[in-house]
Amino acid sequence: MKNISRRLFAALAATMMIAALGLAGCGGQSSEEPAKGAESGQEQPNATATGAGEGSATGEPVKLQIFAANSLTKAMAEAQELYTSQHPNVTFADTQYEGSGTLVEMLAAGQYADVLITASKGTMDDAVEKDYVKEDTRQTMFNNDLVVVTKQGGDLVGTDITLADIAAGKYTLAVGDENVPAGNYACQALTTVGAYIEPDGATGADATGKGGSFSDAIKSKVTLGGKVGDVCKYAESGEVDIAMVYTSDVYRMGGVEICSVVPADTHRPITYPGAVCAESENAEAAQAFLTWCMTDEDCAQIWERWGFERAA
């Protein structure tokens, strides 16, 4: 009886082992066998296609912080909207629009930005010298003109106002302060007619438009603005007779009309350089945005519509 029991137990064990091997054979798969669905031509998912590869196809989410000259306010906002529509993974933080000198001071104070765009070569030179931006990413983006404007529909509309007229004290005038490149350009132009005196006596394009003083004939007639937009508003409101601003400000601000264009040879070229900031955590995306600003044809129409000439 014991022998029969042992034989039955052995037979049962053997049967269970065979069954287990059979199940393993059904559930397992040789490395030489095609994956399920391969014979039918179905595409198989893999880690690259569904994971990291998918992220690189659409781009990882990026939020760029832009520091831009005040005169770019409306044009830049429109350009950013277009860029996000074309690149859904890229959004923009609350873009900071200030006088160019103020933007550099903000970087000096430790504020974070991915991109700096100023309204003068000199302010970008300062940013490069102090290592706030990556010099090898610097490029001239736009050109602009300096104009004399007056209140829209005002008594001076249609009057060709010259620098000599301003120097003679015929009009009250608004210009940007020393942190506003438009103000620097205005003062450079005014040196050519003796209305602004540089410490070293330099005039025109050789002047800095900083550190000097207005002549006795006009110093009581000058109102300074901390932003070129503020300067434009002084003329729009009639607080002053005229203001010296950029052509783009006429499009951006409205409410003023151009009396005359300030001769280009009386001041330094008005350029807008841009660069990737040294502390940017999104340097590649920041550079891509700057490149797009200079190459996308739909974006080119935005700059033109707001009075900016894209640099060659």
Side-chain angles (χ1 to χ4, degrees):
M1 189 70 172
K2 291 181 179 179
N3 289 336
I4 292 173
S5 298
R6 283 196 293 269
R7 284 197 297 269
L8 287 173
F9 181 81
L12 180 59
T15 300
M16 293 174 65
M17 183 177 293
I18 290 169
L21 289 171
L23 288 171
C26 292
Q29 180 172 295
S30 166
S31 61
E32 295 178 354
E33 291 179 331
K36 185 178 181 181
E39 291 179 344
S40 63
Q42 295 176 1
E43 184 177 347
Q44 298 304 303
N46 55 66
T48 301
T50 60
E54 189 173 272
S56 56
T58 60
E60 294 296 327
V62 174
K63 180 174 282 189
L64 294 176
Q65 176 68 69
I66 311 296
F67 279 12
N70 185 58
S71 51
L72 284 165
T73 303
K74 291 189 177 179
M76 181 59 70
E78 194 172 325
Q80 289 175 354
E81 183 178 353
L82 175 61
Y83 191 75
T84 296
S85 72
Q86 295 180 7
H87 306 81
N89 61 302
V90 180
T91 56
F92 295 88
D94 185 19
T95 299
Q96 298 299 299
Y97 299 106
E98 297 288 349
S100 298
T102 301
L103 294 174
V104 175
E105 290 174 359
M106 290 165 63
L107 292 175
Q111 293 194 41
Y112 177 86
D114 293 298
V115 170
L116 173 67
I117 304 175
T118 69
S120 75
K121 175 180 179 297
T123 47
M124 186 60 76
D125 287 344
D126 290 342
V128 168
E129 182 181 345
K130 295 172 182 175
D131 295 324
Y132 299 150
V133 297
K134 301 181 181 188
E135 185 174 9
D136 60 352
T137 68
R138 175 179 178 169
Q139 60 182 304
T140 299
M141 300 181 68
F142 315 111
N143 300 315
N144 216 327
D145 294 312
L146 188 68
V147 293
V148 177
V149 299
T150 191
K151 179 180 180 179
Q152 190 173 45
D155 295 340
L156 294 176
V157 171
T159 304
D160 182 17
I161 297 175
T162 67
L163 292 173
D165 292 332
I166 297 173
K170 293 183 179 180
Y171 309 103
T172 54
L173 168 71
V175 297
D177 65 25
E178 290 194 357
N179 276 329
V180 181
N184 304 147
Y185 295 126
C187 290
Q188 290 165 18
L190 291 171
T191 63
T192 64
V193 289
Y196 185 83
I197 297 89
E198 291 261 317
D200 62 358
T203 61
D206 294 327
T208 64
K210 296 181 179 182
S213 59
F214 294 99
S215 68
D216 291 342
I218 72 166
K219 63 183 179 182
S220 64
K221 297 177 178 290
V222 177
T223 298
L224 298 178
K227 298 179 181 179
V228 68
D230 294 340
V231 174
C232 205
K233 287 178 181 178
Y234 292 143
E236 179 187 359
S237 67
E239 186 172 338
V240 296
D241 297 324
I242 58 174
M244 298 175 76
V245 298
Y246 299 130
T247 300
S248 58
D249 293 312
V250 178
Y251 295 87
R252 179 172 70 96
M253 303 299 296
V256 295
E257 295 186 46
I258 297 175
C259 294
S260 57
V261 178
V262 177
D265 61 359
T266 63
H267 57 79
R268 296 179 182 181
I270 301 175
T271 60
Y272 287 66
V276 176
C277 293
E279 300 300 320
S280 173
E281 298 173 359
N282 309 294
E284 186 176 347
Q287 181 60 69
F289 174 66
L290 285 176
T291 300
W292 175 88
C293 285
M294 299 303 296
T295 57
D296 185 85
E297 289 309 309
D298 290 332
C299 187
Q301 295 178 25
I302 294 175
W303 305 129
E304 182 178 352
R305 184 161 60 250
W306 289 104
F308 294 96
E309 178 185 348
R310 196 164 63 175

